[in-house]
Amino acid sequence: MSSYIIRRVLLMIPTLFGIMLVSFAVVQFAPGGPIERIIAQLSGADTGATSRISGSPSGDFAARGALRGGPQDAVSSKYRGAQGLDPEFIKSLEKQYGFDKPAYERFFLMLWNYATFDFGKSYFRDVSVLQLIKEKLPVSMSLGIWMTLLSYLISIPLGIRKAISDGSRFDVWTSSVIIVGYAIPGFLFAILLIILFAGGSFWDVFPLRGLTSDNWAQLPWYGKIADYFWHLTLPIVSMALAAFATTTLLTKNSFLDEIRKQYVLTARAKGCSERQVLYGHVFRNAMLIVIAGFAGSFIHAFFTGALLIETIFSLDGLGLLSFESVLNRDYAVVFANLYIFSLLGLAVNLISDLTYTWVDPRIDFETREV
């Protein structure tokens, strides 16, 4: 097993390299960029644009003479909207953001820094990227971890019960509820919950903003825990709806496939009880397909799946940070998030594979090629 883990860890290196290379290449051909954004702010009505240029000489230069260039400067400029801007100011911006270097040099410099978890500073916020991620991480951790735990702790027992009672009244009405729940988008269900329980039109039971109350620091420890989950209830329920339906039906179908196999009939013929058959023989085989989907569902819930929910419930997490960074062309934050998400996804995939051996000891990765 140790050699398999080493091979998988080593395989993460070219995988991460490929992900970052493709993403970096796509960004090079995408229209717009941080320099275009500064130019648009300077040439528009946003007088605070120069204040976002960090303490480099270009900030003072922009305030004094960025708009001194003549019409001929616009012809030679490679940036759209740069008419009237001094070419020296454009060059200072390129140097500040690192665009004075060739693309390949910027790419390998980025990889070298990322290998040591040096993500630099945000282009448009006077703070390091790592600090930004640390500030947003508690929100995403709260949503992702609790949503995944809730959906799995409910879905797996429910799926097993549905498989055992396949075709019964319980199976039919729970399937109807699950299908209806799956058909409702999470953000729409979130709005419904707000209307019903967050002071929209009916009851004002749950808060609408943030993870904690304003007086959270003054609460006793048990009050802090209660306040924390009080704020999390509606967002987690909204996010867990689709994942709950998918995992339940996947568990049911997986158990049904195993229950109908010959080894189950053999175990029953030998006098094993239904509980022994179900949890001693069927469980470890049926759960493999559920475990296989854990990595994808965890990463989706932890990062990408929370964007709309974070927006609706005013939760400032990593999903919202990534979305805003893409819109603002804050490439330092975009690539840092991509790197961390990809690294975490690869690690979770490895943990998922190792869990196979815990569920079914007959699986031996040592004899298989990576």
Side-chain angles (χ1 to χ4, degrees), residues 161-162 164-174:
R161 172 69 186 278
K162 285 173 64 62
I164 296 173
S165 57
D166 183 43
S168 66
R169 183 176 298 179
F170 171 81
D171 180 44
V172 172
W173 74 260
T174 51

Side-chain angles (χ1 to χ4, degrees), residues 36-184:
E36 283 90 341
R37 183 167 183 261
I38 291 293
I39 291 173
Q41 291 173 330
L42 284 170
S43 59
D46 187 0
T47 58
T50 55
S51 64
R52 297 195 179 191
I53 305 173
S54 61
S56 67
S58 60
D60 293 335
F61 186 78
R64 295 195 306 267
L67 300 173
R68 291 177 183 170
Q72 68 277 9
D73 300 327
V75 177
S76 61
S77 178
K78 60 182 178 180
Y79 300 107
R80 292 181 296 177
Q83 293 85 350
L85 291 177
D86 194 307
E88 293 299 323
F89 171 69
I90 301 297
K91 290 180 181 178
S92 65
L93 280 180
E94 289 180 338
K95 184 176 181 180
Q96 178 180 339
Y97 293 115
F99 287 93
D100 58 328
K101 301 181 180 69
Y104 71 89
E105 186 176 341
R106 287 188 280 118
F107 175 71
F108 284 106
L109 179 61
M110 179 184 70
L111 290 185
W112 175 260
N113 292 332
Y114 283 11
T116 58
F117 290 91
D118 178 11
F119 301 111
K121 295 185 69 173
S122 169
Y123 287 167
F124 303 108
R125 310 186 194 195
D126 191 21
V127 64
S128 69
V129 174
L130 198 58
Q131 182 62 35
L132 268 178
I133 294 175
K134 286 181 179 179
E135 291 175 359
K136 315 298 181 183
L137 190 59
V139 174
S140 296
M141 287 182 62
S142 297
L143 293 177
I145 292 176
W146 291 117
M147 190 280 284
T148 304
L149 287 176
L150 178 67
S151 62
Y152 271 77
L153 289 175
I154 296 177
S155 299
I156 292 176
L158 180 60
I160 295 174
R161 172 69 186 278
K162 285 173 64 62
I164 296 173
S165 57
D166 183 43
S168 66
R169 183 176 298 179
F170 171 81
D171 180 44
V172 172
W173 74 260
T174 51
S175 295
S176 302
V177 173
I178 289 172
I179 292 173
V180 171
Y182 183 75
I184 301 176

